[in-house]
Amino acid sequence: MIERALSYLMDSKTKTQISGIFYLSFVCLLSPVLVCGQGHVLDKPVTELCLNCICEAISGCNATAVCISPEKGTCGIFRITWAYWVDSGKLTINGEHPESEHAFIHCANDPHCAADTVQNYMKQFNQDCNDDGEMDCLDYARIHKLGGYGCKGDLPYKYQSTFEECIEDYQDQGFE
């Protein structure tokens, strides 16, 4: 159906002149039913190692502690709140509409969608929280725990010590 609409709107020469990405964007704009880009982050500022340590510090990466309602507070291995998810662009899984009743819960409880949510949040609130002149994993850990507007505050001892121990363990194993 979408292909027929495009064929009607553009001749074959025009279609071949449009690059793949622009063509896909055009298709996404034409079809309100087709959900494009949800749950996929292209520019990921946070490394996998850093994500792992944030996960370890915030929840022990406990995937069994899921939530069943946004009113219960934080959800999933990254302990994401509904507001954090909204600020991150309301990513969803399996083409679910972001405004559906359980979209937040499904994403926050899914490790991949939750990790992409963290990535988007970091892009949104990217800043040097510890004033060391660079954006790095320490800043992302602070942003994740303290929020985009409070990252210069004091980290809870347990969170900070678990995070730092995780980073040290990776460094001891030769990872940077």
Side-chain angles (χ1 to χ4, degrees), residues 123-164:
K123 287 192 313 190
Q124 178 77 15
F125 293 100
N126 195 355
Q127 60 189 296
D128 181 10
C129 300
N130 57 3
D131 296 322
D132 66 355
E134 59 184 70
M135 272 302 306
D136 58 20
C137 188
L138 298 173
D139 297 302
Y140 297 133
R142 298 181 74 75
I143 293 167
H144 185 72
K145 180 65 178 171
L146 302 173
Y149 299 109
C151 72
K152 293 184 186 263
D154 294 330
L155 283 171
Y157 175 78
K158 183 173 177 4
Y159 178 83
Q160 184 172 350
S161 61
T162 303
F163 175 78
E164 288 173 353

Side-chain angles (χ1 to χ4, degrees), residues 33-36 38-39 92-98 100:
V33 177
L34 182 62
V35 179
C36 295
Q38 290 180 344
T92 64
I93 58 173
N94 300 325
E96 186 173 18
H97 192 278
S100 75

Side-chain angles (χ1 to χ4, degrees), residues 5-6 10 26 34 39-40 43 63-64 66 68 71 76-77 79-80 83-84 92 97 99 109 139 144 161 163 171:
L6 286 175
M10 294 186 279
F26 188 70
L34 182 62
H40 184 68
D43 182 24
T64 61
V66 298
I68 54 172
E71 294 81 29
I77 61 174
R79 299 301 187 258
I80 294 171
Y84 187 110
T92 64
H97 192 278
E99 300 302 323
N109 288 329
D139 297 302
H144 185 72
S161 61
F163 175 78
Q171 289 172 341

Side-chain angles (χ1 to χ4, degrees), residues 64-83:
T64 61
V66 298
C67 70
I68 54 172
S69 83
E71 294 81 29
K72 299 280 185 196
T74 60
C75 300
I77 61 174
F78 290 102
R79 299 301 187 258
I80 294 171
T81 64
W82 182 83

